[in-house]
Amino acid sequence: MQFHDLKEKIIIIDFGSQVTKLIARRIRDLGVFSEIITINDLHKIKNYNEIKGIILSGGPSTVTKKIFPRIPKEIFLKKIPILGICYGLQLIAKLFGGYIKSSKTKREFGRAILFRKNQSLLTKNFFNIKNKSVWMSHQDAVTKAPKGFKTIASTKESKLTIIENTNSNIYGVQFHPEVTHTENGKQIFKNFLFSICKIKKKWHVTSQKIKLIKEIKKIVKNDKVICALSGGVDSSVVALLINKAIRKNLICIMVDTGLMRKDEFKYSYNIFKKKYKLNVKLINASKIYFKKLKNIHDPEKKRKIIGNLFIKIFEKESRRFKGIKYLAQGTLYPDVIESRSATGSQSSKIKSHHNVGGLPKKMNLKLIEPLKEFFKDEVRILGKSLGLIDNIRKKHPFPGPGLAIRIVGRVTPQKIKILQEADYIYINELINQKLYHKIWQAYVGLLPMKTVGVMGDSRTYEYTCLLRAVVSEDGMTADYFNFPKDFLDKISNKIVNGVPGINRVVYDITSKPPSTIELE
Ligand code: XMP
């Protein structure tokens, strides 16, 4: 099922880098459709004429071993412009007869200064001065360029940091232009796309809306679709989109787990019911959630209980409706990329994420995932063109298991209430101080310990809450937000004075890695 009709595109061959997704995002931001594929998918490409450029990503492998992930050399003979990044550059060098060496002393991780040696189309307007700060992450380096390749730029440790062979239209960079730490990295992509690949800007998210609605109509016809609506950005956009296509044949189910932020569920329900006139059924399931979570303190157990219960309730409720053929899900492009492995091995599972995956197998419904080619920012743009209110459209991400994973240890209705109140104060203060949209995700967590405090003339013995606020581009890595001291003073005061049950406030100053964004 494909929801767009663009012919020309750039493909990114993923060798397993943590930041491959960012390459696709940068290209889409420049108005060009890009798709990430793995080496195992190469054989599925039917028409190379539609591919205007190929980018080879970075990755954890090394070409200094006997066996390493590679692409067939014939791809280079098709005369499609190719840009290799990090491992991609080393692979190009290896396949064309250059030398690559692994070195513990000449490796570069983090910032490096790049010096221009020659002019290139790829670096047009990139060096506004003669050198440039770029972001590196490599231990292997090209020590001898293949025949026909020219050096464009070097760093102190690696002479061949940018190389090119203009006759064959092949370019390679050792640093990562896709990460924001590389100054002006976007210019490298701009040059590659428009000066080298000569592709046109044709990717506009809002113009995709009409095509998406048409495609949904064509697929669903007069059948019924069911959708789990949480009030988060993704499920809200899916619901509005499908509603535009098939109106009353869309049934939305909202399951109130009791684990949401204060008043949020009621608020979203009213918006969807009254403002957007969706066919929504609200299920209040908080009692059963609290019952099942009683005395459970293990994070993974909590997630499993919440996920399984959700499936059970959703299944039961959907059986009340006759003739449903489709299940709509807010799967995004990063979910699709993450669910397949670039080279066959890759990342270990850190936490089991809860969403509605797994439902269709049991329920025998066909899956409809209209957002599966979009990134989160693109979904927000789509939401805007569908009239989704900013309070929902620009909301921070919220995890499926809800506040249960923001309470370390046992979850009780009383702890949820304390947490909701503190979180409400924190989030409102962020909005009032115009900090909310500078932050990727912010929340209050509740720690499983009580400490002594003093209020008035009395001794208190209450919980400690933790404030979390991080900046991030995709949730994979994150830095803690640097609040002014005044803000922290104010919020600590407001929470301790306003929330019975909390007498101490701490601010989490760990980044991800080594920490994670959520507490459990
Ligand atoms: P972590 O804690 O792994 O979170 O650094 C990264 C991002 O994922 C969100 N998250 C989840 N989302 N179900 C979800 O739908 C989950 O089980 C889940 N766990 C974490 C988290 O809020 C952050 O945005």
Side-chain angles (χ1 to χ4, degrees):
M1 208 183 291
Q2 183 169 302
F3 286 99
H4 69 88
D5 62 354
L6 286 183
K7 290 276 178 276
E8 296 191 341
K9 62 182 165 192
I10 298 287
I11 61 165
I12 299 152
I13 303 180
D14 183 17
F15 288 98
S17 156
Q18 295 282 325
V19 285
T20 302
K21 270 187 297 180
L22 294 181
I23 306 176
R25 276 189 57 181
R26 300 287 173 258
I27 293 176
R28 297 235 192 140
D29 285 349
L30 289 165
V32 169
F33 184 64
S34 63
E35 224 171 23
I36 299 177
I37 63 166
T38 66
I39 39 178
N40 303 326
D41 290 334
L42 277 174
H43 68 278
K44 293 185 194 155
I45 298 176
K46 290 187 195 82
N47 186 359
Y48 271 92
N49 288 332
E50 294 177 352
I51 298 170
K52 298 293 159 203
I54 298 175
I55 297 183
L56 311 178
S57 85
S61 311
T62 171
V63 297
T64 59
K65 293 245 168 79
K66 258 202 181 132
I67 297 176
F68 52 89
R70 58 169 80 198
I71 53 171
K73 220 171 159 190
E74 298 85 76
I75 291 187
F76 292 94
L77 303 177
K78 296 182 189 295
K79 291 277 173 200
I80 301 170
I82 293 187
L83 170 66
I85 296 176
C86 195
Y87 177 81
L89 157 80
Q90 294 155 16
L91 181 65
I92 290 170
K94 178 79 182 175
L95 295 178
F96 284 87
Y99 292 151
I100 294 91
K101 231 174 121 179
S102 188
S103 163
K104 286 220 159 77
T105 52
K106 296 213 163 208
R107 62 190 183 176
E108 293 171 295
F109 287 96
R111 212 171 289 285
I113 300 296
L114 188 67
F115 299 97
R116 180 164 60 190
K117 300 284 170 194
N118 280 299
Q119 303 285 347
S120 161
L121 262 187
L122 189 69
T123 55
K124 194 176 64 180
N125 299 329
F126 176 63
F127 291 95
N128 33 18
I129 40 176
K130 241 192 150 184
N131 51 31
K132 191 98 217 153
S133 177
V134 296
W135 194 78
M136 294 278 208
S137 178
H138 71 112
Q139 178 155 317
D140 290 0
V142 183
T143 50
K144 185 168 170 255
K147 220 168 135 201
F149 280 77
K150 184 164 131 190
T151 308
I152 303 302
S154 313
T155 62
K156 195 167 143 256
E157 301 298 348
S158 117
K159 287 215 156 26
L160 302 161
T161 301
I162 305 183
I163 59 171
E164 70 173 23
N165 180 334
T166 47
N167 288 334
S168 312
N169 244 340
I170 301 172
Y171 299 78
V173 296
Q174 182 56 69
F175 61 94
H176 289 267
E178 67 275 29
V179 304
T180 45
H181 309 290
T182 292
E183 271 174 35
N184 202 16
K186 198 171 168 181
Q187 189 63 39
I188 295 280
F189 291 114
K190 242 188 198 169
N191 293 338
F192 182 66
L193 297 179
F194 305 121
S195 304
I196 296 170
C197 302
K198 301 199 169 30
I199 191 164
K200 301 229 161 49
K201 278 189 184 185
K202 283 197 180 155
W203 175 253
H204 305 287
V205 177
T206 40
S207 65
Q208 293 305 309
K209 184 183 78 180
I210 317 280
K211 288 171 198 156
L212 280 167
I213 294 172
K214 246 174 136 177
E215 191 62 25
I216 294 167
K217 271 187 187 158
K218 202 169 109 194
I219 294 166
V220 176
K221 299 192 183 85
N222 290 320
D223 288 315
K224 286 195 175 131
V225 179
I226 197 159
C227 158
L229 184 57
S230 69
V233 185
D234 310 338
S235 65
S236 304
V237 172
V238 166
L240 290 188
L241 198 57
I242 297 183
N243 182 59
K244 276 252 182 322
I246 61 165
R247 299 278 166 195
K248 289 286 168 211
N249 275 346
L250 169 71
I251 298 148
C252 300
I253 294 190
M254 290 185 82
V255 179
D256 186 355
T257 58
L259 304 171
M260 307 296 276
R261 290 193 141 114
K262 184 181 168 178
D263 296 339
E264 201 166 275
F265 214 74
K266 244 191 277 158
Y267 172 81
S268 334
Y269 174 72
N270 282 331
I271 294 277
F272 288 111
K273 189 93 189 157
K274 296 190 180 140
K275 181 173 167 63
Y276 298 114
K277 313 254 181 296
L278 296 193
N279 185 1
V280 197
K281 180 156 189 221
L282 180 73
I283 315 290
N284 189 338
S286 54
K287 271 202 185 126
I288 173 96
Y289 272 91
F290 286 125
K291 192 170 157 213
K292 293 272 180 196
L293 286 170
K294 200 173 171 191
N295 293 330
I296 305 292
H297 53 82
D298 178 72
E300 282 299 293
K301 270 196 192 144
K302 278 188 195 173
R303 279 168 192 275
K304 294 245 155 66
I305 289 171
I306 295 168
N308 290 341
L309 196 52
F310 184 87
I311 292 174
K312 238 168 133 179
I313 295 170
F314 187 81
E315 247 184 338
K316 187 173 148 213
E317 290 308 319
S318 57
R319 257 186 261 123
R320 295 181 199 270
F321 300 93
K322 295 270 161 329
I324 294 172
K325 198 162 167 191
Y326 292 95
L327 170 74
Q329 269 187 194
T331 315
L332 302 191
Y333 194 43
D335 306 326
V336 176
I337 304 165
E338 275 159 29
S339 66
R340 56 186 195 210
S341 146
T343 52
S345 58
Q346 302 319 314
S347 59
S348 61
K349 186 176 91 172
I350 299 182
K351 296 171 181 176
S352 58
H353 276 206
H354 153 72
N355 52 36
V356 282
L359 279 172
K361 256 185 249 144
K362 287 186 148 198
M363 295 171 62
N364 232 349
L365 294 177
K366 284 192 181 163
L367 207 53
I368 181 157
E369 300 169 297
L371 304 182
K372 70 173 188 186
E373 274 154 2
F374 295 90
F375 285 106
K376 190 100 180 177
D377 326 12
E378 295 178 320
V379 172
R380 290 204 164 104
I381 299 171
L382 203 57
K384 185 168 187 172
S385 75
L386 286 160
L388 182 62
I389 55 167
D390 278 1
N391 274 357
I392 296 181
R393 192 173 72 87
K394 293 188 176 173
K395 211 159 44 173
H396 288 172
F398 187 76
L403 301 183
I405 57 166
R406 293 178 177 177
I407 292 177
V408 179
R410 289 186 179 85
V411 178
T412 63
Q414 181 223 7
K415 282 186 180 174
I416 289 279
K417 182 95 183 65
I418 294 175
L419 179 59
Q420 280 177 333
E421 293 302 328
D423 185 73
Y424 188 76
I425 293 174
Y426 181 44
I427 297 297
N428 277 324
E429 197 57 33
L430 289 174
I431 295 169
N432 291 340
Q433 306 272 338
K434 303 207 174 353
L435 292 169
Y436 185 84
H437 296 301
K438 293 188 177 155
I439 291 167
W440 160 271
Q441 215 168 348
Y443 68 85
V444 175
L446 201 66
L447 302 181
M449 58 175 197
K450 287 187 172 180
T451 62
V452 173
V454 55
M455 282 178 98
D457 290 326
S458 318
R459 174 187 184 273
T460 58
Y461 187 57
E462 294 178 336
Y463 287 112
T464 298
C465 79
L466 169 147
L467 310 179
R468 188 82 164 126
V470 294
V471 283
S472 173
E473 233 184 312
D474 54 8
M476 300 281 285
T477 60
D479 274 331
Y480 73 87
F481 187 75
N482 216 344
F483 282 121
K485 183 176 174 297
D486 285 357
F487 178 86
L488 290 173
D489 289 349
K490 190 167 178 187
I491 205 72
S492 157
N493 203 277
K494 273 196 159 179
I495 291 178
V496 173
N497 287 332
V499 187
I502 292 180
N503 68 353
R504 200 174 289 271
V505 177
V506 295
Y507 184 45
D508 185 343
I509 53 161
T510 35
S511 57
K512 173 185 179 178
S515 203
T516 52
I517 295 175
E518 301 293 344
L519 293 179
E520 292 192 331

